[in-house]
Amino acid sequence: MAAGVPPDALGRRVSCGTDYGTVRYVGSVSRTAGIWLGVEWDDPQRGKHDGSYEGTQYFKCRNPKGGSFIRPNKANFGVDFLTAVKDRYGLNDKQDVQYGTGNTVVFGTKTVEFVGMDSVAEQQRQVQLNKLVDISVRECAVSHAGQEEEISRTCANMRHINLSKNLISSWETVIAIASQVQNLETLNVSENKMRFPSTSTFISSAFSNLKILALNQTEITWTEVLLCAQGWPVLEELYLSSNNITVLERPDTVLQTLKLLDLSDNQLLDGNQLHLIAQLPRLEQLILRNTGISSIHFPDAEFGCKTKMFPSLKRLAINDNKISQWSSINELDKLPSLRALQCNNNPFTDTEKNPETLIQLIIAKISQLEVLNNCEILPAERRGAELDYRKIFGKDWLEAGGHWNPEKNKPSEEFLAAHPRYPALCLKYGAPEEGELKGRQPLTLKNQLLTLTIKCPEKPEQKPVEKKLPESMTIQKVKGLLYRLLKIPGSELKLSYESSKLEGKEVELDNDLKPLQFYSIESGDCVLVRW
């Protein structure tokens, strides 16, 4: 092998300036002198060709313009872990103090002689390294572990390591580093395109205490995840975004302690892939942002029943996907533990032009939801959403066979499939009265707007606010708006209003289901808020 080229250069990760790539060829190139490295670049725009030159194919690239040849002296093959740590934290031989000749140290222009200074300085560095608990060597060109046991002797107290965006070429290198860190709890090796074991190998104890692992942008497959996971006995959080994972498999004997799984930015084959990970017993948070899924279905449970899938799942992120049908949102009510949902930027949200109505529909459809798109759902907001849902779809319910008399109440299967929570809402609030069944409001406000002054008589520090509200707005919706507008903590609101026509008399707005116009409120009147 040529000078400056490591004997294991083929397949190694290298950097050249700010560009990263993988060595695919080492050797001569026709009609040129010396040794060349054929590199497949992470950024195809850095390359020039597909690994061929003057008709000869020297190596292959996934992108037709992803490769080029560089001289070995242009390639950085990286440094060992401990060298990177010392450089990053200013604990190498060249920093802190300037050494003179022999046993002298130069402070400014003054030279002072110390006996055994070299060994004392080294001892001090060792003490400082041993104090490090949380270490980040991101983008420090780490490529290998270094001398055996050197890390364990020098950095005995490390618990959290960030090794992201380095020059690590294989999972074996990660094991070689981690096996020297006795109490490793958090490890980030994202943005290292590396090789993983493809068959079951010796299970290392390097990760016996590991709780959090990030493998984003490492090109790992789900099959490789399951093979490596045999060595992650207590892992709680696993981050796997942007890895081209398309197909999942059942993790029957591994990942049983997992509480968080991030699969975002992997284009899954379909929503049914989720069934394969649905039996993870402790999984509380699942992040599926931009995974290409178009539907969610839990076939083991009927509407109104809870699924046995994802028994512990509390937080679900399905934003930036292709979910177009409300039926998938209905399905989420089957999850027994779901409390928080992120679902914005899906086609089904385009079916409602009014964002407030959209939020109300989601809240009404998922009974146990407490947080939607990072916003807490207040009890009054839930009550208002459920009452409105019950009223909006009341006509459809009647036409589908619904009835106020329980003996005659037989809504069609089609209606129940579209509105599985409707029977439960009727039990909770009673069947809608005939006067309420006005059908859905038009998307544009054709009804008259009232200009009202909002005052808090018992809170003089709250300045009066003027708002324009539609006269058809129910008292319940007005309360929901006031909770957000006045930033009132979760407590029961009491509303009334004053009018110049009533000579100082207050009228209570005591029926949440009635619209403002029911109380003969007019523009210029004052709504009083108490809590």
Side-chain angles (χ1 to χ4, degrees):
M1 192 67 69
V5 180
D8 62 345
L10 205 60
R12 286 273 298 269
R13 297 283 292 163
V14 292
S15 64
C16 181
T18 58
D19 294 299
Y20 289 72
T22 304
V23 177
R24 301 297 186 198
Y25 173 79
V26 180
S28 59
V29 174
S30 64
R31 298 173 63 183
T32 65
I35 297 296
W36 292 89
L37 302 180
V39 179
E40 181 180 10
W41 300 102
D42 295 356
D43 179 6
Q45 295 190 0
R46 169 66 173 81
K48 297 178 180 178
H49 49 68
D50 63 352
S52 60
Y53 179 72
E54 292 194 348
T56 302
Q57 187 86 42
Y58 291 91
F59 62 98
K60 292 182 179 179
C61 293
R62 281 174 286 190
N63 190 288
K65 292 284 186 182
S68 69
F69 292 102
I70 62 171
R71 290 295 189 183
N73 63 349
K74 297 289 186 182
N76 178 9
F77 281 90
V79 298
D80 67 87
F81 176 77
L82 209 52
T83 296
V85 171
K86 290 177 179 179
D87 286 345
R88 170 70 178 77
Y89 291 93
L91 298 173
N92 58 24
D93 295 347
K94 299 174 185 176
Q95 291 169 285
D96 295 331
V97 292
Q98 179 188 347
Y99 288 87
T101 56
N103 292 324
T104 63
V105 177
V106 180
F107 292 94
T109 56
K110 188 177 182 181
T111 301
V112 181
E113 184 174 350
F114 287 93
V115 177
M117 183 58 200
D118 288 346
S119 60
V120 172
E122 180 58 30
Q123 286 174 10
Q124 289 177 336
R125 282 194 293 274
Q126 292 283 91
V127 170
Q128 287 177 288
L129 285 168
N130 265 317
K131 287 180 180 178
L132 292 174
V133 174
D134 191 335
I135 285 180
S136 175
V137 284
R138 175 177 170 82
E139 289 190 87
C140 289
V142 177
S143 62
H144 56 286
Q147 293 181 15
E148 194 171 342
E149 301 306 319
E150 189 179 13
I151 297 171
S152 57
R153 286 196 303 268
T154 313
C155 302
N157 291 306
M158 282 191 298
R159 291 178 182 269
H160 314 285
I161 302 176
N162 183 352
L163 268 167
S164 60
K165 204 170 186 181
N166 277 290
L167 300 176
I168 297 171
S169 303
S170 72
W171 183 244
E172 282 73 18
T173 299
V174 179
I175 292 175
I177 294 171
S179 62
Q180 299 183 57
V181 185
Q182 188 175 0
N183 297 308
L184 184 62
E185 294 178 13
T186 306
L187 178 62
N188 184 355
V189 287
S190 300
E191 299 175 79
N192 286 285
K193 292 189 177 182
M194 61 181 121
R195 298 182 301 277
F196 292 89
S198 56
T199 56
S200 203
T201 54
F202 167 73
I203 299 172
S204 167
S205 61
F207 309 104
S208 57
N209 295 309
L210 192 67
K211 301 285 183 66
I212 301 171
L213 175 61
L215 289 166
N216 306 318
Q217 297 182 53
T218 55
E219 299 193 341
I220 193 169
T221 67
W222 185 252
T223 301
E224 291 166 346
V225 168
L226 298 187
L227 284 171
C228 293
Q230 296 174 53
W232 309 333
V234 296
L235 193 68
E236 294 182 358
E237 298 184 15
L238 179 58
Y239 298 86
L240 295 170
S241 75
S242 305
N243 277 311
N244 298 319
I245 294 171
T246 57
V247 179
L248 303 178
E249 300 170 47
R250 293 185 190 279
D252 291 327
T253 58
V254 294
L255 302 179
Q256 300 300 297
T257 56
L258 205 61
K259 293 182 179 179
L260 181 152
L261 176 60
D262 182 1
L263 289 169
S264 58
D265 298 306
N266 291 289
Q267 296 303 299
L268 297 178
L269 190 62
D270 54 49
N272 290 333
Q273 294 298 313
L274 303 182
H275 299 167
L276 299 171
I277 58 170
Q279 302 307 324
L280 290 172
R282 301 185 189 177
L283 189 65
E284 295 180 3
Q285 185 169 356
L286 181 59
I287 304 169
L288 299 170
R289 181 181 58 80
N290 189 31
T291 50
I293 57 175
S294 57
S295 65
I296 296 173
H297 183 44
F298 304 114
D300 67 319
E302 297 293 327
F303 286 118
C305 302
K306 297 299 180 185
T307 178
K308 292 181 181 178
M309 299 184 184
F310 298 106
S312 302
L313 191 65
K314 294 179 181 178
R315 296 178 292 280
L316 176 64
I318 52 171
N319 37 324
D320 301 308
N321 276 297
K322 300 175 182 177
I323 297 169
S324 58
Q325 301 296 322
W326 279 95
S327 56
S328 291
I329 304 303
N330 291 338
E331 288 287 318
L332 297 180
D333 190 49
K334 294 179 181 179
L335 291 169
S337 304
L338 188 65
R339 297 294 181 271
L341 174 68
Q342 291 182 41
C343 61
N344 40 1
N345 295 332
N346 275 286
F348 83 87
T349 62
D350 297 334
T351 61
E352 284 297 332
K353 302 303 179 188
N354 186 329
E356 282 196 17
T357 303
L358 176 70
I359 290 168
Q360 284 191 316
L361 291 175
I362 298 170
I363 292 170
K365 283 177 175 288
I366 307 175
S367 59
Q368 299 172 112
L369 207 60
E370 295 172 358
V371 179
L372 176 59
N373 295 332
N374 295 319
C375 293
E376 184 184 358
I377 300 167
L378 298 170
E381 192 174 8
R382 169 161 292 285
R383 186 168 187 270
E386 292 178 342
L387 285 169
D388 274 359
Y389 189 93
R390 164 183 158 279
K391 181 172 68 174
I392 286 170
F393 296 102
K395 277 189 175 181
D396 295 344
W397 172 70
L398 282 175
E399 291 170 1
H403 201 279
W404 294 284
N405 185 339
E407 294 180 3
K408 297 180 181 180
N409 181 31
K410 296 178 181 178
S412 67
E413 288 295 318
E414 187 180 10
F415 177 84
L416 292 176
H419 308 284
R421 281 209 72 216
Y422 202 87
L425 295 179
C426 286
L427 284 173
K428 187 174 181 179
Y429 299 108
E433 297 176 13
E434 194 167 0
E436 297 177 76
L437 305 182
K438 296 180 179 179
R440 306 197 64 173
Q441 290 290 320
L443 294 175
T444 54
L445 281 176
K446 294 180 180 177
N447 47 325
Q448 185 181 346
L449 290 173
L450 302 173
T451 302
L452 303 173
T453 302
I454 312 295
K455 285 184 182 179
C456 305
E458 296 174 1
K459 307 283 182 180
E461 67 275 12
Q462 289 267 15
K463 294 182 179 180
V465 180
E466 192 173 276
K467 290 294 291 182
K468 289 187 176 182
L469 304 177
E471 61 182 9
S472 63
M473 192 178 224
T474 63
I475 301 306
Q476 186 63 50
K477 274 195 174 181
V478 173
K479 286 183 177 180
L481 183 145
L482 292 174
Y483 274 113
R484 294 189 293 273
L485 180 68
L486 303 176
K487 298 178 181 174
I488 300 168
S491 53
E492 193 64 33
L493 289 186
K494 293 181 180 178
L495 303 186
S496 59
Y497 84 96
E498 303 178 316
S499 172
S500 57
K501 295 180 180 179
L502 297 174
E503 298 178 354
K505 182 183 175 184
E506 278 188 40
V507 177
E508 284 191 37
L509 306 176
D510 53 1
N511 189 332
D512 285 352
L513 303 179
K514 298 297 183 184
L516 289 169
Q517 61 194 14
F518 175 83
Y519 292 96
S520 303
I521 297 181
E522 298 178 357
S523 286
D525 291 347
C526 181
V527 175
L528 305 173
V529 186
R530 295 181 176 87
W531 65 91

